Amino acid sequence: MGNEIPSSYFKPEDLKLFNERLQQETKIIDKWFSQDRFASEQKMFGYELEAWLIDKNYQPAPVNEQFLKKLNNPLVVPELASFNIELNSLPQHLSGHVFSDMEQNLNQIFNLCRQQAQLLGSDMLAIGILPTVRKTDLSLRNMSNSPRYRALNEQVLRMRHGRPLHINIKGDEHLCVQHDDVMLEAAATSFQLHLQVPPSLATHYYNAAIILSGSMVAATGNSPFLFGKHLWAETRIPLFEQAVSVGGHGTDDEGDLKRVFFGTGYTQDSLFECFQENLDHFPVVLPVLFEDPPDRLAHLRLHNGTIWRWNRPLIGFDEQGEPHLRIEHRVISAGPSVVDTVANAALFTGAVKSLVASQHTPEFNLTFNHARHNFYQAARLGLAADLHWLGEQQVNARSHILKQLLPLARSGLEQLEINSHDRQYYLDIIEQRIRSGQTGTNWQQRYAAKHDYDMQALTAAYATLQQSGKPVHEWPI
């Protein structure tokens, strides 16, 4: 979905040809999965961090075209709205000082972006939902100048037969609005981790990522407000699900699956099951035709990029053209600080490694329905949620993270041969965050309550504290 397309206009024969090529490429990867064609290297990871450009009044600044042209950095790319950008990493080897290196690299690119934004009279901020964003900001006049985004909007509305999108989120307050385009999606920004996995363990990594999703949302929430209303602890999750609310094939016996969703179950035999589900259940949104040979999977990868599972399997290629498998973990909010972002990455990579290496296959000890329940409970209630854990025991999220998740992460990072300083330093940040109860969500809630729910004051204070570099558990109210 990140690649540019030549046009937003499609003919009926484009759709027919795309579907033929998609079926052909799905058959190719079916063979690859059965023949163990994918690279075995697993200790690589990368990330994407979505961020906001803001003006001097802490409102969205729709200047990403000028910003990106001046910055001229291939690792920083546009997002759906002209006030959003995405910071990308190069693939990193998951060992040694990888997390302190990640913090250094992310700080460097973050500061470069801020300096360039300031030259345009604006600044950059990483936060799940910008508290000051207004419904009027989320209009087509603020869509990034890109055929792929215009095409996405046109095709989503075509599939909805022109019906507007409805946002209905009940939290501490109730938000009910309708919108005539997909721009509401731009209000939800995240930190996405990509973990390369070996074919022999790919299903276990995918299932472990699903199992960890609720715990990760509880530990990393950072978006309690939208349009001035106090909603879920992680409002970004229902917002994104409802902002691109397009179902699957209407006549499907399995029901009308949504394109942003938690998934339909654990994988059993291989990740191919997800790609078969893509083919069987989801009509093509962007029938862009490529001239690449079929084994480059251009159509299959584009189609997969328009289906937003919260944990998404990906197929990539290395510099030698060798295919590999990745899991994209999409549940973590952007922000609050660079060091918090790195700590969140360490928590997930350690915990998922530990679960996969466990003697007892974790998906046998937690039903998929309970994993899904955890995800939405954590999104609603954050650290106050009660979650199901392995063996189907019920645990309070805060106690669970301290007593179960952090030990898992420490063990996993040790197995990955992560430097002892990195292990201790970044997981201690998570521990202090959870012990204090001050996630990004909690800080925003407490600050807003103390300052009469002034969203501009909240955003200004948040920006100052993010720029201090301190982890969120040290932020004053």
Side-chain angles (χ1 to χ4, degrees):
M1 191 50 210
N3 294 329
E4 196 46 89
I5 65 174
S7 170
S8 63
Y9 174 74
F10 305 111
K11 303 186 291 291
E13 52 264 39
D14 294 337
L15 181 60
K16 180 175 179 292
L17 274 171
F18 190 100
N19 275 312
E20 289 173 1
R21 295 179 187 183
L22 179 60
Q23 289 178 32
Q24 180 186 15
E25 292 169 15
T26 305
K27 287 178 182 174
I28 287 171
I29 66 162
D30 188 11
K31 287 183 182 175
W32 287 4
F33 276 102
S34 63
Q35 296 168 354
D36 288 335
R37 174 79 170 76
F38 296 98
S40 58
E41 172 61 55
Q42 62 168 314
K43 293 182 68 174
M44 299 294 289
F45 94 123
Y47 61 83
E48 306 164 50
L49 176 63
E50 298 164 347
W52 297 75
L53 296 170
I54 56 172
D55 65 20
K56 290 177 180 176
N57 295 316
Y58 303 96
Q59 302 284 349
V63 296
N64 74 359
E65 191 168 1
Q66 306 96 296
F67 168 87
L68 292 165
K69 187 175 180 181
K70 295 281 188 185
L71 185 70
N72 192 27
N73 187 319
L75 295 178
V76 185
V77 297
E79 266 291 332
L80 173 62
S82 55
F83 43 73
N84 291 143
I85 55 172
E86 180 183 275
L87 285 59
N88 291 270
S89 75
L90 295 170
Q92 308 288 308
H93 193 69
L94 198 52
S95 63
H97 298 86
V98 63
F99 293 111
S100 48
D101 289 345
M102 176 183 170
E103 183 181 358
Q104 183 180 349
N105 294 337
L106 187 52
N107 263 321
Q108 186 177 31
I109 198 165
F110 209 92
N111 290 334
L112 281 173
C113 288
R114 286 198 62 223
Q115 289 163 17
Q116 186 57 62
Q118 287 165 358
L119 292 174
L120 295 171
S122 57
D123 211 330
M124 187 179 81
L125 195 69
I127 189 169
I129 296 174
L130 188 70
T132 53
V133 71
R134 299 159 298 194
K135 189 172 182 287
T136 51
D137 294 318
L138 301 167
S139 68
L140 292 180
R141 67 185 167 82
N142 286 332
M143 178 178 276
S144 288
N145 183 22
S146 161
R148 79 174 185 266
Y149 295 131
R150 288 196 295 276
L152 177 68
N153 183 65
E154 290 164 10
Q155 296 301 307
V156 165
L157 293 178
R158 178 186 63 79
M159 294 171 77
R160 291 180 59 82
H161 307 290
R163 297 191 312 272
L165 292 141
H166 291 274
I167 303 296
N168 186 0
I169 305 172
K170 294 179 181 178
D172 281 16
E173 297 180 86
H174 185 193
L175 177 69
C176 189
V177 297
Q178 74 173 37
H179 212 69
D180 293 327
D181 51 61
V182 299
M183 286 295 289
L184 284 166
E185 179 196 333
T189 58
S190 62
F191 171 62
Q192 298 149 26
L193 277 167
H194 290 237
L195 191 63
Q196 188 176 330
V197 297
S200 61
L201 295 173
T203 58
H204 296 307
Y205 269 100
Y206 180 73
N207 295 341
I210 287 171
I211 286 168
L212 290 169
S213 293
S215 310
M216 290 300 302
V217 169
T220 64
N222 197 30
S223 55
F225 297 106
L226 176 61
F227 304 149
K229 289 189 179 288
H230 185 199
L231 300 168
W232 290 17
E234 190 56 19
T235 304
R236 180 181 59 89
I237 285 166
L239 173 61
F240 189 36
E241 291 194 343
Q242 296 175 33
V244 195
S245 184
V246 180
H249 295 290
T251 58
D252 199 310
D253 291 336
E254 295 295 319
D256 204 20
L257 298 183
K258 301 300 182 185
R259 294 187 94 97
V260 186
F261 70 130
F262 191 69
T264 55
Y266 295 131
T267 49
Q268 303 298 318
D269 299 317
S270 81
L271 295 185
F272 177 72
E273 294 156 25
C274 295
F275 294 97
Q276 186 67 55
E277 185 175 74
N278 290 355
L279 180 68
D280 293 343
H281 294 264
F282 294 99
V284 170
V285 174
L286 298 177
V288 182
L289 300 174
F290 299 95
E291 297 305 317
D292 307 47
D295 62 2
R296 296 303 294 178
L297 310 178
H299 305 86
L300 180 139
R301 294 168 76 196
L302 176 61
H303 186 52
N304 189 47
T306 64
I307 299 163
W308 294 274
R309 292 176 180 83
W310 288 107
N311 293 280
R312 179 161 61 183
L314 300 174
I315 298 174
F317 293 89
D318 63 21
E319 292 176 353
Q320 289 73 42
E322 192 71 15
H324 62 257
L325 298 172
R326 299 200 306 273
I327 305 298
E328 182 187 19
H329 188 61
R330 303 171 47 80
V331 312
I332 305 172
S333 200
S337 68
V338 166
V339 73
D340 283 310
T341 301
V342 178
N344 293 342
L347 179 65
F348 174 74
T349 52
V352 77
K353 171 66 176 177
S354 212
L355 279 185
V356 169
S358 169
Q359 289 182 321
H360 306 288
T361 307
E363 53 263 48
F364 294 162
N365 292 310
L366 185 74
T367 67
F368 178 82
N369 284 342
H370 278 158
R372 179 168 50 199
H373 170 86
N374 288 348
F375 178 67
Y376 293 106
Q377 280 295 100
R380 284 188 180 93
L381 302 172
L383 292 178
D386 287 327
L387 309 177
H388 298 277
W389 191 236
L390 305 180
E392 305 298 341
Q393 56 183 309
Q394 270 207 293
V395 289
N396 169 262
R398 195 166 171 182
S399 172
H400 154 67
I401 294 165
L402 291 171
K403 294 179 180 177
Q404 292 155 326
L405 191 64
L406 277 164
L408 272 178
R410 289 193 176 95
S411 172
L413 294 182
E414 194 169 350
Q415 292 171 51
L416 288 166
E417 300 178 332
I418 302 298
N419 170 270
S420 60
H421 168 269
D422 276 22
R423 296 198 308 263
Q424 182 168 341
Y425 179 69
Y426 294 107
L427 294 184
D428 278 358
I429 286 170
I430 300 291
E431 182 172 350
Q432 294 306 311
R433 184 194 304 166
I434 305 308
R435 287 196 186 281
S436 69
Q438 187 158 291
T439 60
T441 284
N442 176 266
W443 181 87
Q444 289 186 57
Q445 290 168 331
R446 291 172 62 210
Y447 188 95
K450 187 174 179 180
H451 296 85
D452 202 25
Y453 291 87
D454 182 333
M455 293 294 123
Q456 186 176 17
L458 167 63
T459 308
Y462 180 102
T464 299
L465 289 164
Q466 181 173 96
Q467 291 153 18
S468 77
K470 291 180 179 178
V472 72
H473 69 267
E474 295 180 8
W475 290 11
I477 300 300

